[in-house]
Amino acid sequence: MSSFLFRLGQRCARHPLRVLAIWLLIGAVVIGLNIQLGGTTKDNLTVPGVEAQSAGDILNDDFPEYAGISGQMVFHVDDGTVTEPTNTAAIESSLAELAEVEDVTAVSNPFDARGPTISADGKTAFSTVYFSLDALEPTHTDHADEAAEIARDAGIQTELGGGLVAIEMEGNEAVGLIVAVIVLLVAFGSLIAMAVPIVTALFALGLGLSGLGVMAYFVNTPVTSTMLASMIGLGVGIDYALFIVTRHRQNLTDGMSVEDAAGAANATAGQSVLFAGMTVVIAITGLVMAGMPAMTAMGFAAAIVVIFAMLIAVTLLPACLGFAGRHIDRWSIPHRKDRGGEGHQTFAGRWAHHVGKRPWRYAILSFIALVVVSIPVLDLQMGFSDDSNTAKDSTEHKAFDLLSDGFGRGFNGAYLVIVDLGQQHDQTPVDGIRAAIAGDAGVAAVQPALISDSGRSALIAVQPTTGPQDDETSETLTRLRDDVIPTAVDGTEAEVFVGGRTALMSDLSDRISERLIPFILAVVALSFLLLMLVFRSVMVPLKAAIMNMLSIGAAYGVIVAVFQWGWGKGLIGLDSTVPINPFVPMIMFAVLFGLSMDYEVFLLSRVREEYQRTRDSHQSVVDGLASTARVITSAALIMISVFLAFVMTDNVTVKMFGLGLATAVAIDATVVRMVLVPSTMSLLGSGNWWLPRWLDRILPHMDLEGGDFSHLTTETATTAITDQAIAAEFEAEFGDTVDDDEAERDLELV
């Protein structure tokens, strides 16, 4: 593998124009397909095998007019009532305009005598709007807002609620990118060296997001996928390039030619990048274990971006290094002397030595600190946020409050009860079912039943007494399903399914809770096997698994403390506490377990290399940490900056991802890498690299060090010394320094 990557990097650096042309062609094809197909992300959640999904399937078949996206247009007056003639006329005009919006199938009339939807005090009314779509486009919301302006002009507060507002994601990639530029400038000290990772990472991100668009044409892909893929793709794209450019610059400093330096960097750091990247891809695509198409799509969306980042890192990046040549350190920061790439970090070396001499103290203290930060995870409550968690000045938040005040807290969390009437289409049990549901203490209202045109099923809307996010709402749902409804249909052919968005979200949370532990165990087992293959050790992967669990647990704890308990929620623009989105823990675990491999492999491969050379366990840890501290710190700062930039978006779920990922990376790069790793490795000594002989014989060998390139360094260094000597003779002879091109021609003549 290493020899192949060496030749690949060498040839890409030697023929950069060809590589660039190939990638531009690939980019044109992928972007062109995305433009042509026009795939768009949309939130169309399905959870096969749960009761709410069964209810939704029947709803699609027998009540198609209620199966698509629906929302409310809410009207409110402070003075008088909405039933006053002038107000009624303005509201009906708005609704007439709304009915003309494309893809609208029905608009209810709040003044219909058969079922008026006006609050008891007469100040609030609403109309339910139905669409034939699974997801709205921003243009639908714009047209609905134009219709609402008619009532607003008449002095009526008019807000759009629920599904009337299309979900739009606005990222803060620019903020993370600016911080990445600053970090790379400080790390490399050169504008050219800084620009290479930024350019290749942006190119990879652009292709990855275009690939996501193509996927969205064929597969229902959640809106959040774009934001998640952006933050992961930008972070890993810059980090992967950082690792390779760092090794390339070190190779140049050691005297290699540009092509050989790029090849050697590809064979060493590039191989680590492929290993870490494939771990991320495998872990993320493992989300298929969740059994939910939406989560599977989110995993594959992120994987597409990571794959492009990997491929570009080992092909286009070496080509860019070939373009830069030996000028990669040109345009450097003034007065900055160290341009040697990784360098030997005195502070990091001293710190590792300090920790290694007091391993028990630091191991115990860091372990206790991580456990304490993880404690809030014991109170983890998974659920989906509702419109009350949107910005307070947003129209959907205002609509939510008006509906809750006018019609009760449970209005926004209604259940849809579907009754399958059996082969005989017997409607007799319907009244008994309604009466039984209405008698439950958690139910505020039960609407009259609607019978489908085929007569096969009945639809009953049920309003609980509590809001969508309340624990009592889930308890009511469980009670209806397990006790109330089974008793009501006992002895009949009717089969009842409780569905609707609130029920579907509850079922989805339960599904993820059931599969989270098996998923975690599968990812941990996979990472254990991969690290055991790479480092020929049992203890290294065991420690890595435990440390990763601790850092991820701490990240979960921070999320619970901020989003559920409300600690510091104002700092991230959060108005109220929310349950933890069920997607977040599982996807975070998959992403972080893969990302932690970057630092794990980069650090431990250096430690192992030093240990094999010296057989001194303590000193190998000191030297390994000293030589990798700068690049790991720089990579972590970039990743943290990219993730934190997304915390300031309006979407609560994206905030969770951003804060959780940033916290885990920060803990992983500081407490774990700088304290736990040196302390535990010092305690274990040579036992770090223990592997039973029988296991060593059957495991395939992987060499992340990439082979020995000292012969390239020696030969090129000798040539460089000769060239410098000849150049010095020219300068002494002619008393003037020639430019690079002229000197090269003169050296060829000599």
Side-chain angles (χ1 to χ4, degrees):
M1 182 66 172
S2 60
S3 59
F4 168 76
L5 287 174
F6 174 79
R7 292 194 301 271
L8 178 64
Q10 191 183 49
R11 290 175 182 175
C12 288
R14 186 174 297 151
H15 307 289
L17 286 174
R18 297 179 188 176
V19 177
L20 179 61
I22 291 172
W23 273 110
L24 288 176
L25 179 61
I26 294 173
V29 171
V30 175
I31 295 173
L33 280 174
N34 183 36
I35 294 173
Q36 184 67 28
L37 297 176
T40 56
T41 56
K42 56 185 178 182
D43 287 325
N44 182 24
L45 290 177
T46 57
V47 190
V50 300
E51 182 173 329
Q53 187 62 51
S54 300
D57 294 339
I58 297 175
L59 193 69
N60 284 328
D61 294 337
D62 292 352
F63 299 93
E65 65 273 25
Y66 301 109
I69 286 289
S70 65
Q72 292 81 35
M73 182 172 284
V74 186
F75 307 94
H76 177 78
V77 293
D78 292 323
D79 299 323
T81 65
V82 292
T83 56
E84 293 176 5
T86 54
N87 292 334
T88 301
I91 291 172
E92 290 181 338
S93 296
S94 278
L95 296 180
E97 183 72 19
L98 184 60
E100 299 300 320
V101 173
E102 185 179 6
D103 300 313
V104 169
T105 57
V107 177
S108 69
N109 187 342
F111 308 111
D112 190 334
R114 295 171 297 177
T117 51
I118 303 171
S119 63
D121 60 6
K123 293 184 176 298
T124 305
F126 72 89
S127 168
T128 301
V129 187
Y130 298 94
F131 290 84
S132 60
L133 306 170
D134 293 326
L136 296 190
E137 298 289 341
T139 53
H140 291 103
T141 301
D142 293 340
H143 292 152
D145 198 58
E146 291 172 3
E149 285 298 326
I150 298 175
R152 290 170 184 158
D153 291 341
I156 302 171
Q157 180 184 355
T158 307
E159 308 294 347
L160 308 181
L164 267 183
V165 181
I167 299 175
E168 295 186 84
M169 292 289 178
E170 295 181 2
N172 287 332
E173 296 91 339
V175 176
L177 200 59
I178 291 171
V179 176
V181 168
I182 296 172
V183 171
L184 289 173
L185 268 178
V186 173
F188 289 148
S190 162
L191 285 173
I192 294 179
M194 173 276 295
V196 171
I198 296 295
V199 170
T200 54
L202 288 177
F203 188 69
L205 180 62
L207 289 186
L209 292 180
S210 295
L212 190 159
V214 174
M215 184 188 82
Y217 177 79
F218 298 99
V219 180
N220 286 332
T221 307
V223 175
T224 314
S225 301
T226 302
M227 196 74 76
L228 180 66
S230 295
M231 70 170 75
I232 294 173
L234 188 59
V236 301
I238 296 175
D239 272 12
Y240 292 166
L242 170 63
F243 293 153
I244 295 175
V245 172
T246 297
R247 185 61 65 91
H248 173 75
R249 294 172 74 241
Q250 184 184 20
N251 292 339
L252 288 178
T253 302
D254 291 342
M256 290 187 189
S257 68
V258 172
E259 291 85 356
D260 289 345
N266 228 30
T268 52
Q271 191 167 195
S272 297
V273 162
L274 290 181
F275 173 78
M278 287 308 301
T279 306
V280 175
V281 170
I282 293 171
I284 293 177
T285 53
L287 290 170
V288 69
M289 291 179 59
M292 288 174 292
M295 187 169 285
T296 301
M298 291 176 72
F300 276 93
I304 288 173
V305 180
V306 174
I307 289 172
F308 272 112
M310 291 163 45
L311 295 177
I312 285 175
V314 296
T315 54
L316 182 60
L317 178 60
C320 291
L321 297 176
F323 274 123
R326 291 194 172 275
H327 304 305
I328 193 166
D329 287 326
R330 288 274 182 95
W331 300 344
S332 59
I333 298 176
H335 310 300
R336 189 179 186 281
K337 296 180 180 180
D338 180 16
R339 302 189 310 181
E342 295 169 67
H344 192 88
Q345 298 299 296
T346 305
F347 171 77
R350 287 202 308 267
W351 173 255
H353 177 75
H354 173 77
V355 171
K357 291 300 182 182
R358 303 162 182 81
W360 280 111
R361 178 194 306 175
Y362 283 99
I364 293 173
L365 287 176
S366 56
F367 177 80
I368 292 174
L370 290 176
V371 170
V372 169
V373 178
S374 302
I375 287 176
V377 78
L378 298 176
D379 190 38
L380 175 66
Q381 297 175 356
M382 291 194 290
F384 287 86
S385 59
D386 53 38
D387 284 345
S388 66
N389 301 124
T390 57
K392 284 188 175 181
D393 59 350
S394 67
T395 185
E396 55 265 45
H397 188 117
K398 294 175 182 178
F400 184 96
D401 289 344
L402 289 174
L403 291 171
S404 296
D405 293 341
F407 301 93
R409 293 178 59 200
F411 178 86
N412 293 287
Y415 309 127
L416 295 180
V417 177
I418 304 292
V419 183
D420 185 340
L421 299 175
Q423 296 293 329
Q424 304 301 319
H425 296 181
D426 182 9
Q427 300 179 17
T428 305
V430 174
D431 289 338
I433 294 170
R434 289 188 66 250
I437 293 174
D440 186 87
V443 174
V446 180
Q447 299 297 322
L450 298 176
I451 306 300
S452 65
D453 293 339
S454 64
R456 294 179 303 183
S457 56
L459 170 63
I460 305 171
V462 178
Q463 180 180 330
T465 58
T466 51
Q469 293 180 180
D470 297 335
D471 292 338
E472 294 83 357
T473 305
S474 295
E475 293 170 3
T476 299
L477 175 65
T478 301
R479 195 166 53 250
L480 292 178
R481 285 174 167 176
D482 295 346
D483 299 324
V484 176
I485 293 175
T487 301
V489 298
D490 187 32
T492 71
E493 293 185 2
E495 188 174 4
V496 181
F497 304 93
V498 182
R501 181 173 177 80
T502 301
L504 182 63
M505 296 302 100
S506 178
D507 289 346
L508 194 153
S509 297
D510 292 342
R511 169 68 63 83
I512 293 178
S513 298
E514 292 170 1
R515 303 197 177 187
L516 181 59
I517 299 302
F519 171 75
I520 288 175
L521 293 177
V523 173
V524 170
L526 172 65
S527 66
F528 182 92
L529 291 174
L530 290 176
L531 285 175
M532 187 167 61
L533 284 174
V534 172
F535 294 112
R536 319 300 299 175
S537 165
V538 172
M539 297 309 298
V540 166
L542 180 61
K543 288 193 297 86
I546 294 172
M547 291 176 188
N548 287 341
M549 293 286 286
L550 286 171
S551 62
I552 295 172
Y556 286 172
V558 169
I559 288 178
V560 171
V562 174
F563 288 90
Q564 279 186 212
W565 296 357
W567 292 6
K569 66 179 186 295
L571 298 176
I572 62 171
L574 195 66
D575 295 324
S576 59
T577 58
V578 296
I580 305 303
N581 188 306
F583 286 166
V584 172
M586 185 173 280
I587 293 178
M588 266 185 59
F589 192 90
V591 172
L592 290 172
F593 228 89
L595 293 181
S596 66
M597 289 295 181
D598 292 351
Y599 311 135
E600 191 80 30
V601 170
F602 203 76
L603 170 59
L604 292 183
S605 61
R606 283 306 183 91
V607 173
R608 180 169 178 258
E609 184 179 344
E610 292 297 325
Y611 179 76
Q612 289 177 335
R613 185 176 61 85
T614 65
R615 294 295 167 180
D616 185 332
S617 180
H618 172 71
Q619 194 59 42
S620 65
V621 174
V622 172
D623 292 342
L625 194 61
S627 62
T628 59
R630 175 184 293 176
V631 69
I632 288 179
T633 302
S634 300
L637 283 174
I638 290 170
M639 198 80 78
I640 292 167
S641 302
V642 170
F643 292 154
L644 285 180
F646 286 87
V647 173
M648 304 317 295
T649 61
D650 292 333
N651 187 278
V652 176
T653 300
V654 174
K655 286 180 183 288
M656 289 183 190
F657 278 124
L659 182 62
L661 293 173
T663 300
V665 171
I667 291 173
D668 194 71
T670 53
V671 178
V672 173
R673 303 294 162 224
M674 298 297 289
V675 183
L676 267 179
V677 168
S679 60
T680 54
M681 294 194 79
S682 294
L683 284 172
L684 290 172
S686 58
N688 284 299
W689 313 107
W690 175 75
L691 183 70
R693 291 183 179 179
W694 63 269
L695 188 58
D696 185 47
R697 287 195 298 270
I698 64 176
L699 289 177
H701 284 262
M702 295 179 64
D703 180 20
L704 283 190
E705 283 78 29
D708 183 11
F709 299 102
S710 59
H711 63 288
L712 297 175
T713 302
T714 303
E715 292 173 4
T716 312
T718 303
T719 302
I721 292 171
T722 304
D723 291 348
Q724 291 169 7
I726 295 173
E729 289 181 13
F730 269 97
E731 187 173 351
E733 179 71 23
F734 299 105
D736 192 14
T737 303
V738 293
D739 62 31
D740 292 343
D741 294 336
E742 186 177 348
E744 190 173 329
R745 290 193 298 271
D746 291 337
L747 289 174
E748 289 176 0
L749 290 174
V750 173

